[in-house]
Amino acid sequence: MCGRLTQYRGIHDFVDALSMPGALRNNVHEQPLERYNVAPSTSVALLRADGDGLRADMVRWGWRPHWATDRAAPINARVEKVAHGAFFRAIWPHRAVTPVDGWYEWVDEGGPKKQPYYIRRRDGRPAMCASIGQFAGNEHDGFVIITADAEGGMIDVHDRRPVVLSPEHARQWLDLAMPKEQAEQLALSLGEGPDAFEWYRVSVAAGNVRNQGPELIAPT
């Protein structure tokens, strides 16, 4: 998965798609997010649960443990290793969902620049990406999106994809009572398959993070 996504709907649109009962503590804002080119290390709207229920926060995309000062903060974690490696051990229990409208991948098609593709759910609903992070309320907070091997035709666009969960499985992922072992199996085996998505070429303007607007996701 390349490091660029979109969040242009409002947080309540994402919550409605999640269909999670109970009140929302919204620490984002009420208006549409209108972000068509979200880059790593910036703040991203995230949904998670705590003892008081569902909450929405802006959290930095990228995280590394305090001892890993020799590398940049990763933005993704491989589902095959995330539950057992030392790097993400501290945040593996802290699950969240990153609701996105879609994401970009870049493909080398022989031109002067790589060709960007936009990927989104075929049914038009938001994609609920399984995520983990640190949410202590300080400058070390951050999150990563869990990724899996691409399958089917999607592998022609990129070899990795975010683990996108159905609303039912996203609610389970957020359930604080779910054991870590069960959460691992959910992420490994219950992500949406390639048939749930569509992808198409978009403007090379998506490559510049300063560019924003719905024209970035228009087919070319």
Side-chain angles (χ1 to χ4, degrees), residues 96-195:
V97 164
T98 307
V100 305
D101 291 290
W103 68 94
Y104 299 96
E105 300 288 0
W106 276 259
V107 179
D108 186 353
E109 295 184 338
K113 294 184 177 180
K114 288 187 176 182
Q115 172 62 50
Y117 280 73
Y118 186 63
I119 304 171
R120 63 186 180 186
R121 285 191 64 107
R122 197 179 297 276
D123 59 14
R125 296 189 301 173
M128 301 292 171
C129 302
S131 307
I132 54 174
Q134 177 175 320
F135 312 116
N138 59 45
E139 70 275 15
H140 302 297
D141 283 2
F143 78 96
V144 296
I145 293 173
I146 297 176
T147 67
D149 283 338
E151 300 172 341
M154 191 180 287
I155 200 167
D156 294 333
V157 181
H158 201 266
D159 60 345
R160 303 291 297 179
R161 59 181 170 85
V163 174
V164 174
L165 302 174
S166 69
E168 176 188 0
H169 292 139
R171 293 191 298 270
Q172 294 175 10
W173 178 257
L174 293 175
D175 187 348
L176 299 176
M178 175 179 279
K180 291 183 290 184
E181 297 78 12
Q182 188 176 343
E184 179 187 9
Q185 291 306 309
L186 189 157
L188 281 168
S189 58
L190 295 178
E192 300 275 48
D195 291 345

Side-chain angles (χ1 to χ4, degrees), residues 66-81:
H66 65 87
W67 45 264
T69 56
D70 60 336
R71 70 197 78 178
I75 59 171
N76 301 323
R78 298 174 70 92
V79 70
E80 302 90 346
K81 300 179 179 180

